Amino acid sequence: YELTQPPSVSVSPGQTARISCSGNALPDQFAYWYQQKPGQAPLLIIYKDTERPSGIPARFSGSSSGTTVTLTISGVQAEDEADYYCQSADISGVYEIFGGGTKLTVL
Amino acid sequence: QLQLQASGPGLVKTSETLSLTCTVSGASLDNHEFSWGWIRQPPGKGLEWIGNIYNNGSIFYKPSLKSRVAIVVDASKNQFSLKLQSATVTDTAVYYCALARYYYGSGALAFDVWGQSTMVSVSS
């Protein structure tokens, strides 16, 4: 089972970045999104497809449609440059899996 | 404040057992709301889930690692450990321990709190 993400996304400051994650079990399992900056541990930024943990800026949002979930960053800032990973489980809900990661570059 | 700290040898010889410990503070490993897991990241690559242990005794491992890996809880020390047998150079990675939450309606876990990582190099 795989979660497929684009390797890279580039946007200019103030624009909207969208990062997709596709997987056959996503209609049945929650998806989560993590932000990872160099040398740091990943940070959970979206849980249960669309929920945002406290302390995460409102410009980060998640959506789900069928076998694809999407992380949207509205009004991208330079500090948002990072690697972003989606994560979910297989259809059984037992085995966790991470997407390959997407490098967001802020031009 | 909830914190996790991974520790262990930074260098392991090929064919030997990689052993790491995660020390948890600010939460009890007996808490039924949480699961405890290990994730790794080879240099320059993405995240790879290794396995999770639940306090009902259930343990799930990545299928491709299942024959070599074990996660064990020591509740008396509030620690959980990872043992990976027959280490190879492909096990070289930054290893993270993490607290995971599960939500009704899905088996997928949210890795909510990540510990300070430990880098392990496997070499002959």
Side-chain angles (χ1 to χ4, degrees):
Chain A
Y1 180 58
E2 292 182 342
L3 294 176
T4 301
Q5 298 180 234
S8 61
V9 168
S10 299
V11 295
S12 298
Q15 291 189 327
T16 296
R18 294 181 178 85
I19 300 173
S20 63
C21 173
S22 298
N24 288 337
L26 288 176
D28 301 296
Q29 301 293 342
F30 289 135
Y32 305 95
W33 288 95
Y34 303 86
Q35 177 193 66
Q36 187 181 34
K37 296 182 178 179
Q40 297 184 15
L43 173 70
L44 180 68
I45 57 173
I46 295 290
Y47 69 101
K48 291 174 63 179
D49 296 344
T50 61
E51 303 293 320
R52 197 173 53 250
S54 61
I56 301 302
R59 64 180 181 274
F60 292 92
S61 63
S63 61
S64 176
S65 180
T67 58
T68 299
V69 293
T70 302
L71 172 69
T72 300
I73 310 172
S74 304
V76 167
Q77 300 182 6
E79 67 196 49
D80 299 330
E81 188 163 282
D83 293 325
Y84 291 85
Y85 294 90
C86 63
Q87 175 249 320
S88 186
D90 72 328
I91 192 65
S92 73
V94 164
Y95 303 112
E96 308 300 319
I97 186 164
F98 288 91
T102 299
K103 182 175 182 59
L104 175 67
T105 299
V106 182
L107 301 171
Chain B
Q1 184 180 1
L2 177 56
Q3 290 186 322
L4 293 83
Q5 173 75 56
S7 60
L11 183 63
V12 175
K13 292 188 176 181
T14 52
S15 79
E16 294 189 345
T17 297
L18 185 159
S19 296
L20 299 175
T21 298
C22 184
T23 301
V24 179
S25 57
S28 170
L29 292 182
D30 292 337
N31 191 321
H32 70 278
E33 295 181 41
F34 306 142
S35 174
W36 306 94
W38 290 94
I39 299 106
R40 68 182 181 180
Q41 186 170 33
K45 296 189 177 180
L47 301 169
E48 179 184 22
W49 174 71
I50 299 172
N52 266 74
I53 186 167
Y54 297 75
N55 69 1
N56 66 359
S58 299
I59 313 174
F60 299 102
Y61 303 118
K62 181 176 181 175
S64 62
L65 298 173
K66 185 177 181 179
S67 64
R68 300 195 291 131
V69 68
I71 297 176
V72 177
V73 165
D74 185 342
S76 67
K77 296 181 180 179
N78 225 38
Q79 295 176 334
F80 62 103
S81 63
L82 171 71
K83 293 190 185 300
L84 187 60
Q85 297 178 329
S86 305
T88 72
V89 294
T90 58
D91 294 317
T92 293
V94 170
Y95 284 76
Y96 295 96
C97 55
L99 172 155
R101 297 180 194 269
Y102 37 93
Y103 296 98
Y104 179 76
S106 169
L109 299 171
F111 294 98
D112 203 5
V113 180
W114 294 65
Q116 277 199 300
S117 61
T118 187
M119 175 68 199
V120 180
S121 297
V122 181
S123 172
S124 57

